[in-house]
Structures are given as structure tokens and as C-alpha cells.
Amino acid sequence: MIDLNALDVLSPGYEASPKAKLTVRCHSVSDVVQVLAYAAETGDRIVPRGGGHCFVDRCPADGIVVDLSGMDRIAVDDHGVATIGAGARLGAVYAALHESGRTIPAGCGDTVGIAGLTLGGGIGLLGRQYGLTCDRLVGAQVVLADRSVVECDEHRESELFWALRGAGGGQFGIVTELRFATVPEPSVCRIEGRWAEPESVVKAWQDWAPNAPDGLTVNLTVQGGQATLFGASTMPPETTRALLREFTARAGVLYAIDIRLDVPYSMVKSTFRAEDPAEGSRSRSEFFARTMSERTAGELLKGLEGNRRLAFTAMGGAYNRVAEEETAFAHRGERFLLEEIGDPGDPWVDEAWNAAHAEGSGRVYPNFPDLALEDPAEAYHAGNYPRLAAFKKNCDPHRVFDFPQAL
Ligand SMILES: Cc1cc2nc3c(=O)[nH]c(=O)nc-3n(C[C@H](O)[C@H](O)[C@H](O)COP(=O)(O)OP(=O)(O)OC[C@H]3O[C@@H](n4cnc5c(N)ncnc54)[C@H](O)[C@@H]3O)c2cc1C
């Protein structure tokens, strides 16, 4: 019997994974291999963990959590390729890349894990210019279910490399290291504004934000009687101001707008509040390939009371310049992503999702998992599902990596 005592075993009882039979914090690839060898003897399922921010708890009671937080090294080489340990979190990633004058397009939320974010796609304020986080992935090291350690990229284990880019985490193996082609870190205009008339703002935003030049990403949240626009622009200040004037002319009464110039991208991210849905709220979401009708938007806005909130994320731009079958991320023709967020147990979340769903594209972001979906395979993977399912069968035939809605 493999003995795990020499490893950094954190539970039973470890607060971040209370349901798990064991949590093992790994500090090396050989730690990961040993945990997989142990699970092969016991028959336990394996759940990898990067930042631990998954919206749903994927660990069964007999599951072993492989916590990668002990593997968080970040280095950038002379060609601008960043090698990032799978346990690194976004705040540390942005800060380390900033030291080299580089960055990657990735999400907000300093504590979100680079691994989970990348494996499901990775949407962020530079995405309309540079694509998803997974679009910048050029290679990865992975420990597979059979305990082999493989390097994958365009030429080696290319099917694994394809599948890692957007199918969602925890499906094919334990990623221990990710390599990204970084981009020069831009200085951006940080944009935050509040408007008084949500109906006209939602209409104006839908017509404007998904069609804006790639350098401008502005997202929208609506709560109560107020609409808040927030985002960043890599374009010159005068161009940015002209675009915002165009929006304001259509969006009705402006309460306040704050435009800060020359903010390093690595800093602007953490100035926006990124709420953890696990902390006291429930959300559902869907992509939209078409503008929502005024009738449906009106219906959604009518129900917004208390903590209920709508969040619109602009897609388009570089996200959509990759073919759907080129990576596992299948959602390449969308205009925006809409989230309905409320208190846990508030029926409005489902009611609003159902109302919006009539006009949505039926596609759901794999990083925003939703256990209420009727056909999760179609929603998360669309036309890429048959290829992903065949690859899953091949690389994890005994389903060492398994959870509800897994491939
Ligand atoms: C506060 C907050 C802000 C967010 N902001 C954004 C945003 O701006 N943009 C965006 O696109 N998304 C955002 N998200 C969603 C986020 O992308 C997902 O929650 C993501 O899955 C989190 O990854 P993680 O590593 O932190 O979580 P985990 O729970 O550790 O992992 C998520 C999934 O990936 C698997 N996984 C993790 N590490 C590995 C690994 N090394 N190898 C194999 N599988 C692995 C896990 O098993 C799990 O299935 C946000 C979430 C939160 C909570």
C-alpha cells in the first residue's frame, strides 16, 4: 500500500474541502504521481484544485483533493514565454509578469487560480484584444490517470493540448505547469461609470459594447435602479472618451463617470470587485449571440429587487476570431454573456434565466458551471462534444477524474 505520510496531507477536516476523504497539498510532480498511485489502489476519485474557486463543489465523499498550491512558481523567459505552476493565483501571476513588463489576458479576482481559469477558457478585460487566457496557452505539463507525466503542445500530445484549451478543468489529468505566450503589459484607461436609467443603458450597451473596437472592454452590472459600467481601454484617451460619449448619448442620465489614465493593466484588475458566488449568492448564466429584445430585457429589469443583479460581459473581438473547432472552447460567435445573480434559494434566479434563455444561444461558459442545465454537454461543448468525449474515454477509461457533468 502506498504510504502518503511523507506528503503534505491536510485533511480530513481541512476547511477548504470539508467533504473530501483527503486533501494532499502537492509540492512536486512526484507528489502528484504518488497520490494518483495511492488512488489507483483505493479506487478513490481525484479532484485537482488550483485556486479553489469552482462555483460548485466537485468533490465526492470518497474523493481525494490534489491541492496544487505548493506548485506556484512563475518565470518568464527571454522570448516572453511564462511558465506558471498550476497552483498560482491571478494576483501573483499579474504581479510577477508585470516585473518583466509582460502580461496575459485573464480574469479579474486576485485569488482565482490560473489553472481552473485557463482550462475552462478565461474571459477578461484584455480578451477582446488578445483572446481567451487559453488562447495564449502554448504548452502544459500534465500527469495523466495512468500516472505518466506528459508535455503537451501543438506538436506533442496535440489532442490533449486541444482539449485543455477550454473544456473545463478536472477532466483529463492533473496539470502541473502551464506555459503562455505573454503580451506586452499595456497601460490602460480604467473606466467606471454609473447611469440612472437601466432600460436605456442595457439597450445602448448591447448595441455598443460587443461591437466596440478590440481595445475597449466595458462590462455592465444592473442592480436596483442603477447601471454600472466598468472596464478598460488600451486606446488613446481621446479615442476612449469619444467612444464613451457615443455610449452616453444613447444611455440616458449619467450619475458619475471616473476615467483614470495610464494605469498598468496588472493593477486595474484588482480595483474591480470580483464577487465569489460561493459566498452567499447563486448565479446562472448563458451566452447571447443576438441582441436581447426590449420586451425580455424589460421583464428581467422589472424583477430586480434587493440583492438581485444582472451582469453583462462583452464578448466579440479576438474571442471570436478563433474557429469553434480550433480549441475545445466552443463559444466563438457570441456577443455577450449574461449572468443572473441572487440570494441562494431566490426563485428569481431561475425565473430570470428561463425568461432570458428564450433568446440566448443555449451555450454556457464551462467556468460558470450550472447544475440545473438540462443538456450540459451541448451547453458547455456544443459541436466539440463528440471529440472531447472520445478523448476522455481514451485518456481516462476508468474515470479517475469524474464529477457531475464531467465529460
Ligand atoms: C471571485 C471570482 C472571480 C472570477 N472572475 C472571473 C473572470 O474574470 N473571468 C473568468 O473567465 N472567470 C472568472 N471566474 C470563474 C473562474 O474562471 C472559475 O471559477 C475557475 O474554475 C476557477 O479556477 P480555480 O483554479 O480558482 O478553481 P478550482 O476550484 O481549483 O478549479 C476549477 C476546476 O478546474 C479543475 N482544476 C483546477 N486545477 C487544476 C489542475 N491543475 N489540473 C486539472 N484540473 C484542475 C478543478 O478540479 C475544478 O474542476 C471567477 C470566479 C470567482 C470566484
Side-chain angles (χ1 to χ4, degrees):
M1 187 78 187
I2 303 272
D3 182 6
L4 292 182
N5 280 336
L7 303 188
D8 190 0
V9 178
L10 298 173
S11 68
Y14 177 54
E15 58 173 353
S17 46
K19 265 179 29 203
K21 176 178 165 184
L22 277 180
T23 299
V24 184
R25 185 190 286 145
C26 290
H27 298 269
S28 66
V29 174
S30 86
D31 286 2
V32 174
V33 172
Q34 274 198 66
V35 183
L36 279 168
Y38 174 87
E41 287 182 353
T42 59
D44 292 323
R45 306 274 137 227
I46 291 284
V47 182
R49 182 166 60 219
H53 274 307
C54 190
F55 288 8
V56 294
D57 182 359
R58 288 181 164 165
C59 189
D62 66 346
I64 299 180
V65 172
V66 174
D67 180 317
L68 292 142
S69 59
M71 300 172 73
D72 60 353
R73 206 178 68 91
I74 302 164
V76 185
D77 73 13
D78 293 343
H79 305 286
V81 173
T83 300
I84 303 180
R89 291 166 183 254
L90 292 187
V93 170
Y94 291 127
L97 299 188
H98 171 77
E99 294 298 310
S100 306
R102 312 292 297 180
T103 197
I104 49 173
C108 298
D110 281 355
T111 57
V112 170
I114 186 69
L117 179 94
T118 305
L119 299 176
I123 296 169
L125 294 179
L126 284 188
R128 301 188 69 257
Q129 186 158 0
Y130 292 114
L132 297 164
T133 314
C134 73
D135 293 336
R136 305 301 302 179
L137 190 72
V138 292
Q141 183 183 63
V142 186
V143 185
L144 297 174
D146 65 5
R147 304 188 289 291
S148 55
V149 181
V150 299
E151 299 289 335
C152 70
D153 53 33
E154 240 4 297
H155 308 291
R156 297 172 295 174
E157 305 285 347
S158 55
E159 195 65 4
L160 174 62
F161 182 56
W162 174 80
L164 290 185
R165 286 174 290 158
Q171 315 250 24
F172 310 109
I174 301 180
V175 176
T176 48
E177 208 168 72
L178 302 133
R179 289 188 298 284
F180 294 95
T182 62
V183 299
E185 182 185 8
S187 278
V188 300
C189 293
R190 179 195 184 279
I191 301 158
E192 188 164 15
R194 287 181 293 120
W195 276 261
E197 295 164 33
E199 293 82 8
S200 48
V201 177
V202 166
K203 183 172 183 334
W205 183 91
Q206 288 189 84
D207 293 341
W208 175 79
N211 293 334
D214 294 356
L216 182 72
T217 296
V218 272
N219 299 329
L220 173 69
T221 59
V222 188
Q223 183 165 14
Q226 191 166 292
T228 304
L229 200 73
F230 65 96
S233 165
T234 58
M235 290 180 295
E238 55 278 16
T239 314
T240 304
R241 285 207 175 92
L243 284 161
L244 285 166
R245 272 198 298 275
E246 192 190 301
F247 173 74
T248 300
R250 296 194 245 164
V253 178
L254 172 66
Y255 277 146
I257 188 156
D258 177 21
I259 301 176
R260 274 184 244 164
L261 306 180
D262 273 343
V263 185
Y265 171 69
S266 55
M267 288 172 66
V268 86
K269 319 274 308 179
S270 51
T271 65
F272 292 121
R273 180 165 156 258
E275 196 163 311
D276 192 336
E279 289 169 4
S281 63
R282 174 170 176 250
S283 68
R284 300 194 67 189
S285 65
E286 186 170 347
F287 285 114
F288 284 72
R290 293 179 290 129
T291 298
M292 191 187 288
S293 68
E294 281 182 52
R295 187 182 52 77
T296 299
E299 197 178 323
L300 295 180
L301 293 170
K302 217 167 43 197
L304 280 183
E305 292 163 7
N307 292 329
R308 296 171 180 172
R309 197 164 82 245
L310 297 171
F312 295 79
T313 299
M315 300 298 289
Y319 293 125
N320 293 357
R321 287 198 287 272
V322 176
E324 292 207 347
E325 65 285 357
E326 201 172 317
T327 66
F329 187 88
H331 317 293
R332 300 296 192 167
E334 306 296 338
R335 287 178 62 76
F336 63 91
L337 173 65
L338 172 62
E339 291 166 79
E340 296 88 6
I341 306 158
D343 290 331
D346 182 349
W348 174 83
V349 175
D350 290 310
E351 287 159 17
W353 187 88
N354 284 325
H357 177 55
E359 295 176 12
S361 65
R363 308 283 189 94
V364 174
Y365 181 27
N367 271 346
F368 290 179
D370 177 354
L371 296 177
L373 291 173
E374 270 175 29
D375 186 353
E378 173 62 24
Y380 296 139
H381 311 298
N384 286 337
Y385 177 71
R387 183 172 166 188
L388 283 168
F391 180 64
K392 168 76 176 172
K393 220 177 208 166
N394 190 31
C395 85
D396 182 19
H398 305 298
R399 301 193 72 82
V400 173
F401 304 101
D402 201 11
F403 53 84
Q405 300 186 335
L407 284 159

